[in-house]
Amino acid sequence: MLVKWIRCTVVDRPGFERGQRKWAGMPGEPGFRGQGGGWSRGRPNVAHIFAFWESRAFYDSFMARSHNRLAAAQSGTYRNMQVRLFEHRFDVKVGFQPRFNDADVLRVAHCRVHADRVDHFTLVQEKVWNPAMAGSPGMLRGVFGEAPGNEFLVLSMWDSAAEHGKYRVERVERLGLRAQTEADVAAIAGDVVGVESAWTV
């Protein structure tokens, strides 16, 4: 599965949201699995969108055929768009489905990992972070993806901001020490995203 992460700064919020609803025709696209997102909880007017495809080939076909027509509706409503593609490595909590209708917030972490620490980083994601997240009340599901250049994406879906907040306060620092995160990670950026139900496709 391919995960596409889009982040941009919106300059025309009503126009952007109108354009976002134009993506509702996506389910007819071959290989499309789902899409959703919302507004950053910490950065005003920053939007995050996550799209899921069965494979890179299906995604490339869509980009060549239908993408520009759909994207035209949002032209001029945003700036600083960043797009990254990640290959699914494993689920965070078993049975990941690209559904957003039961999630209140998304937590996205984008990590650049030292080349000689990739194997360790991946192992502790599987053995330390994943069980801790999977066992946390309110954590619904998530996905761990990898991109060329030792880049990784951890996307988790939560049924409430309060439950995600408790997990951060009670567990993240302790788990980070156990996982030796500082030794693995060259740079990390993240955000908490409030899900907009109207953006779910």
Side-chain angles (χ1 to χ4, degrees):
M1 184 170 64
L2 186 75
V3 184
K4 180 179 187 177
W5 173 30
I6 304 159
R7 181 178 57 198
C8 61
T9 302
V10 174
V11 294
D12 172 5
R13 204 155 164 152
F16 183 85
E17 294 206 310
R18 275 195 306 275
Q20 197 58 39
R21 289 192 278 276
K22 301 278 188 193
W23 297 93
M26 291 280 288
E29 291 290 336
F32 175 72
R33 300 276 307 278
Q35 180 171 293
W39 299 105
S40 165
R41 288 279 172 100
R43 299 181 185 129
N45 298 319
V46 170
H48 295 267
I49 297 152
F50 300 91
F52 299 84
W53 294 83
E54 282 178 26
S55 71
R56 180 67 187 256
F58 280 123
Y59 169 75
D60 287 344
S61 172
F62 163 73
M63 291 300 290
R65 289 179 300 100
S66 308
H67 174 268
N68 289 356
R69 175 176 49 80
L70 289 165
Q74 285 174 302
S75 178
T77 65
Y78 60 84
R79 58 184 171 80
N80 301 336
M81 177 172 279
Q82 297 173 40
V83 178
R84 286 190 164 86
L85 301 174
F86 297 86
E87 288 288 346
H88 172 270
R89 285 285 302 271
F90 46 77
D91 295 347
V92 180
K93 204 166 186 175
V94 295
F96 178 80
Q97 293 290 325
R99 293 187 295 107
F100 294 83
N101 55 350
D102 54 353
D104 178 45
V105 296
L106 313 173
R107 164 66 180 160
V108 56
H110 176 223
C111 305
R112 293 181 189 277
V113 176
H114 297 295
D116 61 339
R117 301 286 294 186
V118 165
D119 289 345
H120 180 264
F121 176 80
T122 306
L123 182 69
V124 295
Q125 183 64 42
E126 204 167 3
K127 304 294 187 196
V128 177
W129 291 104
N130 280 14
M133 270 198 279
S136 294
M139 192 277 182
L140 300 170
R141 57 191 160 277
V143 64
F144 178 78
E146 181 175 7
N150 308 321
E151 278 189 58
F152 296 86
L153 175 80
V154 185
L155 175 66
S156 55
M157 301 182 175
W158 298 77
D159 69 7
S160 76
E163 290 294 354
H164 174 255
K166 279 194 276 187
Y167 165 76
R168 286 183 71 176
V169 168
E170 293 169 6
R171 313 195 64 177
V172 167
E173 188 175 344
R174 181 169 49 81
L175 290 166
L177 291 170
R178 186 172 153 210
Q180 301 173 3
T181 301
E182 284 194 6
D184 289 350
V185 174
I188 185 166
D191 212 345
V192 176
V193 182
V195 174
E196 290 288 330
S197 58
W199 300 9
T200 299
V201 181

